[in-house]
Amino acid sequence: MVTGTARFTLDHPEPAGLLHIALVRSAHRHAKVMDIDTTAALALPGVRAVLTHHDAPAARFSTALHENTDDDPADTRVLDDVVRHVGQRVAAVVADSPALAQRASRLVRVTYQVLPAVTEADQALDPDAVRVHPDGNIAGDFHATIGDPGRGFAEADLVHEGVFHTQRVQHTALECHASRAWADPEGRLHLHAATQAPHLVRRRLCQIFGLDPDVLRVTAGRLGGSFGRGQDLQTEDITLLAALRTGRPVQLEYTRTDELTAATTRHPFHVGVTLGARHDGTLTAMKLHVLTDTGAYGNQGPSVLNVACSEATALYRVPNLTVEGYCVRTHNVPAGAFRGYGAGQLAFALESALDDLARRLRLDPLALRERAYLSPGEPAPFPGAGGRHPVMDTGLARCLRTLGEARARRLRVRPRGAGQRHLTGEGLAVATRHTVPADGHIAQAAVTLRPDGHYDLAAGVPDFGSGTGKVLCRIAAQALATTVDHIHLRGADSDLLDHHSGGFGSTGVILTGRAVDRACRALAERLRELAVSCAAGSPAGRGPGTRAVPCDASSLPLTVLHDHARASGVPLRAEASALADDTVPSLAFSAQWLCVEVDTVTGLVRVLDSVHVADAGTLMDTAQCRGQIEGAITQGVGTTLREQLLTDGAGRVTTADLRTYTIPHFGEVPPPEVHFVAPENPEGAPPKPMSELPFNPVAPALANAVRDATGIRFTELPLRPDTVWEALNTARPTKRLGGGD
């Protein structure tokens, strides 16, 4: 990457005769397409086609990519005659160059019948509200009760309530969505896209277009960041449609404005929290009302709601718990998969409310958490993969202890300021994640001995900056008793494996790593058996060496074994799978502490200090894991302090570029102090996911620090300077920790 030689999605050589797509997008929130006049666009030389809903399959599908699709509403068409959000594609112009396609797209004339729109999530629940889709506005719901919440609140010494709101934000990965489709010389279709799940893309496209899976090959290059954006169909379906209709290679690349105004976003959450507790901090009851806006199409919405409600509550010990959650459609830009998958939004509400509860009970926030969280051996309230409840281990206790020590030390180094203009405060929060997803994820891997004694390793996960590929090669090298430079990884190609759910849900190492280990150990055993048949002795070692398999008095080079196997017709390839539903789920944890400074004149919040403690299980690559955490903290600070997709009264996104949609700049977030807690029993302890989890506690920790500095509880994100300044100048601050309420 540093030398610029890494190939991203569109860095590969272009097929001859490549055409380009420009999309005609809706200017209305909700409208019926009455007519599309393509005459002027088609009159331009070099314009090859203008595709409309008349050219698109009638099939409805979900753009969400999951192994199990039961929760994904099939409410989307490639091109539809009803538009449901500003920016929805209405037509696709296919031309010889991007500039020509853009020019022609401005000549397409669309006649609409404008319809009433649902603009807010709470409005969508109104029985008399306009229906976003014929089957209604509720895309999914979550209802669960444990114990008797009414009795639990009656037994409480104190009941605390709060309502919290999180905003719509964009992934802003460096690489924009892109895909390229063409037919090879034999007529087989090939789609190359910025996706995290090539096999699931192939399955979905074959369903949409009625294709046999053998007809379509889907590949992914290196992705320039993802954060969940590659778990949704974005450009793949329209690109394939254009290639099928024109018979030419076709490419679609989103601009940054496309990303910010029409691509999927994070789900906005509205959360009501009610906590009941005794004077010592013991929780007696918890009630949550969760409302999330999935936008114009159901997409990932029901699954995001389910994950948020089950994972964000997984670490609390509360005998009486009730959750009522709704995922609703509105005439807003669709939401999709985003880092944290809903648990971060709910953690903001829960951990903020827990902090306020600590203040009202005059307890240290860390001490309250030690009492409010599960103890080792206790099961989480709601089930995870395979319908089993994850069980608490000692990881959380170790995180809290380490965080407490680091917090005390950092506060001694940086005492609280007493200035009139600059207020300082500190805050902490904890988040958890199930170690395996509950969507039936399947990971597969295959390894083959090459003629030169090296190994080809096939895995289904693309490389999008998480370092998974490096770790998979290390796992393979260890299982094959060789070195990493002898492992040649190929991934993200539907031709290499029968099936793989893809690289999302923090499964790259957890599940794909297990499949790689199993496949490599199977091949090592096969080589060992082959060596026995080749040599007059039995192997002395446990498997193949770097270049040879050792025997009693000598060793057999791997190149010789390969030649012997080829002559004997023995395949030197092994495959293996790992299934989420066959894995016993447990819990991983991240704890975040932040110290902030609030400028009372400008309202600017600045991060002064940061400590993160992670329960990552067995570390496979410390540097890569640390990089994931540092990136998650930076992204978390950005989404907490400034990032927000704003819309005008007509539903048009007004933050359409990176001048108006601001993300953190290098140097704005100080390097965090990162700690990894060791497993209680290091031997055989599995790794735990750390790609998404470290993002989730950042927002509540930062909000708690601002509350500590200002005495004001901010319940809505982001904490922009204007918002903070207005609150400082209009609200009556409550007393700080230790001063009561």
Side-chain angles (χ1 to χ4, degrees):
M1 287 191 294
V2 173
T3 61
T5 57
R7 286 188 171 187
F8 295 88
T9 305
L10 298 183
D11 288 337
H12 298 260
E14 296 182 357
L18 182 67
L19 302 177
H20 299 267
I21 296 175
L23 296 172
V24 179
R25 298 189 179 276
S26 169
H28 303 286
R29 264 188 158 138
H30 189 201
K32 172 77 173 176
V33 176
M34 306 304 293
D35 182 63
I36 303 178
D37 185 353
T38 63
T39 306
L42 288 171
L44 288 180
V47 173
R48 305 301 173 179
V50 179
L51 305 175
T52 71
H53 60 274
H54 297 295
D55 304 290
R60 296 196 176 272
F61 58 93
S62 173
T63 57
L65 299 173
H66 287 118
E67 186 57 45
N68 294 336
T69 60
D70 294 343
D71 291 334
D72 303 333
D75 55 11
T76 307
R77 285 185 65 193
V78 179
L79 291 168
D80 207 337
D81 60 346
V82 176
V83 293
R84 295 179 172 89
H85 68 92
V86 175
Q88 179 171 334
R89 60 196 186 201
V90 178
V93 177
V94 189
D96 289 349
S97 71
L100 178 59
Q102 285 290 344
R103 179 186 171 195
S105 70
R106 292 190 287 270
L107 299 178
V108 176
R109 296 291 177 258
V110 184
T111 302
Y112 297 97
Q113 177 189 352
V114 179
L115 302 171
V118 177
T119 61
E120 302 293 339
D122 55 355
Q123 180 188 355
L125 289 175
D126 189 327
D128 296 326
V130 172
R131 286 184 169 234
V132 181
H133 287 270
D135 62 344
N137 296 343
I138 298 176
D141 56 4
F142 185 100
H143 303 282
T145 298
I146 297 170
D148 184 346
R151 184 182 64 193
F153 286 118
E155 294 173 349
D157 296 318
L158 178 67
V159 176
H160 177 76
E161 295 180 278
V163 180
F164 300 85
H165 307 272
T166 57
Q167 78 283 31
R168 182 177 279 106
V169 299
Q170 234 288 322
H171 307 77
T172 57
L174 284 175
E175 181 187 31
C176 295
H177 285 96
S179 58
R180 182 183 290 166
W182 69 96
D184 63 23
E186 289 74 36
R188 188 175 182 225
L189 294 169
H190 189 164
L191 180 84
H192 188 66
T195 179
Q196 294 172 244
H199 283 88
L200 298 188
V201 169
R202 181 182 66 173
R203 184 175 70 182
R204 182 57 45 81
L205 292 178
C206 288
Q207 292 170 350
I208 295 170
F209 292 99
L211 300 174
D212 188 286
D214 292 336
V215 172
L216 178 62
R217 177 187 182 188
V218 177
T219 59
R222 185 183 183 93
L223 275 63
S226 190
F227 316 118
R229 71 185 180 100
Q231 199 189 338
D232 295 291
L233 283 184
Q234 298 277 350
T235 60
E236 296 90 340
D237 54 337
I238 190 68
T239 305
L240 183 59
L241 174 65
L244 290 170
R245 290 291 183 266
T246 63
R248 295 268 298 274
V250 180
Q251 175 175 300
L252 173 58
E253 180 181 14
Y254 272 7
T255 65
R256 183 59 64 183
T257 296
D258 289 328
E259 294 284 325
L260 290 167
T261 61
T264 53
T265 71
R266 185 175 77 161
H267 287 76
F269 269 59
H270 309 273
V271 183
V273 181
T274 306
L275 300 176
R278 296 193 175 94
H279 288 309
D280 64 357
T282 300
L283 296 180
T284 62
M286 177 187 295
K287 180 180 179 181
L288 299 177
H289 184 274
V290 183
L291 179 60
T292 176
D293 181 358
T294 194
Y297 294 93
N299 194 6
Q300 308 265 353
S303 297
V304 167
L305 176 67
N306 189 287
V307 168
C309 293
S310 59
E311 289 196 347
T313 58
L315 71 170
Y316 294 97
R317 184 200 298 118
V318 53
N320 306 292
L321 167 66
T322 184
V323 181
E324 182 182 51
Y326 296 94
C327 168
V328 296
R329 302 183 183 105
T330 62
H331 291 108
N332 294 317
V333 176
F338 188 98
R339 193 175 199 168
Y341 212 69
Q345 294 95 301
L346 201 49
F348 166 67
L350 277 170
E351 289 289 294
S352 295
L354 199 66
D355 227 56
D356 287 341
L357 180 66
R359 293 174 183 279
R360 293 188 63 186
L361 292 171
R362 301 177 186 272
L363 295 174
D364 181 85
L366 185 59
L368 177 68
R369 284 169 171 81
E370 290 172 339
R371 183 171 292 276
Y373 294 154
L374 296 174
S375 297
E378 293 182 311
F382 302 124
R388 288 163 292 189
H389 292 252
V391 176
M392 177 71 74
D393 56 23
T394 61
L396 177 58
R398 292 164 182 260
C399 281
L400 293 177
R401 183 170 60 250
T402 303
L403 186 72
E405 295 168 351
R407 173 195 184 207
R409 174 169 40 79
R410 302 301 289 180
L411 288 176
R412 288 195 298 270
V413 172
R414 188 187 294 276
R416 187 186 213 103
Q420 293 297 312
R421 173 170 177 172
H422 296 103
L423 305 175
T424 60
E426 53 101 10
L428 61 92
V430 182
T432 187
R433 179 175 176 79
H434 295 172
T435 53
V436 289
D439 74 334
H441 204 98
I442 299 171
Q444 191 179 53
V447 61
T448 306
L449 178 65
R450 302 190 336 180
D452 61 359
H454 288 214
Y455 299 91
D456 281 331
L457 176 65
V461 293
D463 193 338
F464 44 87
S466 64
T468 298
K470 179 181 177 183
V471 174
L472 295 180
C473 289
R474 183 176 297 175
I475 291 172
Q478 183 176 5
L480 292 165
T482 187
T483 54
V484 172
D485 62 306
H486 282 61
I487 306 296
H488 303 273
L489 178 63
R490 296 180 62 197
D493 184 340
S494 62
D495 273 7
L496 296 178
L497 300 165
D498 293 333
H499 187 75
H500 193 293
S501 299
F504 58 86
S506 302
T507 58
V509 173
I510 307 302
L511 287 181
T512 303
R514 189 177 306 159
V516 166
D517 181 70
R518 290 173 178 173
C520 291
R521 292 187 184 279
L523 180 59
E525 179 61 25
R526 189 170 301 169
L527 292 174
R528 183 176 179 274
E529 294 171 353
L530 184 62
V532 171
S533 66
C534 288
S538 60
R542 295 169 57 189
T546 302
R547 296 184 180 279
V549 175
C551 294
D552 284 340
S554 61
S555 61
L556 290 177
L558 290 172
T559 52
V560 174
L561 279 179
H562 182 276
D563 292 342
H564 178 78
R566 185 170 57 181
S568 306
V570 177
L572 291 183
R573 172 185 167 94
E575 298 180 359
S577 298
L579 310 180
D581 289 349
D582 293 341
T583 304
V584 178
S586 61
L587 297 171
F589 302 94
S590 272
Q592 178 70 52
W593 175 84
L594 290 166
C595 179
V596 303
E597 176 185 83
V598 181
D599 189 326
T600 60
V601 174
T602 65
L604 184 68
V605 178
R606 186 165 67 96
V607 176
L608 301 177
D609 206 354
S610 173
V611 175
H612 192 99
V613 183
D615 166 38
T618 297
L619 285 172
M620 305 301 294
D621 190 311
T622 302
Q624 290 283 1
C625 195
R626 183 181 299 274
Q628 287 291 297
I629 290 171
E630 292 178 352
I633 294 171
T634 302
Q635 189 174 29
V637 169
T639 56
T640 304
L641 294 184
R642 60 176 67 175
E643 294 183 44
Q644 183 176 20
L645 283 171
L646 297 172
T647 57
D648 60 17
R652 181 177 62 92
V653 174
T654 57
T655 47
D657 53 45
L658 293 181
R659 294 180 180 86
T660 52
Y661 184 90
T662 53
I663 61 176
H665 298 168
F666 186 80
E668 288 189 35
V669 182
E673 179 182 313
V674 178
H675 298 270
F676 297 104
V677 296
E680 185 176 24
N681 300 307
E683 288 296 323
K688 293 184 177 182
M690 277 292 134
S691 293
E692 297 179 80
L693 175 58
F695 171 82
N696 292 345
V698 177
L702 211 165
N704 289 338
V706 172
R707 163 65 175 85
D708 187 50
T710 64
I712 302 171
R713 167 57 65 191
F714 290 88
T715 59
E716 186 169 352
L717 298 181
L719 306 180
R720 294 193 310 262
D722 57 330
T723 302
V724 175
W725 181 89
E726 183 178 11
L728 288 170
N729 283 272
T730 59
R732 182 180 66 85
T734 57
K735 295 180 181 180
R736 289 186 177 180
L737 177 62
D741 279 309

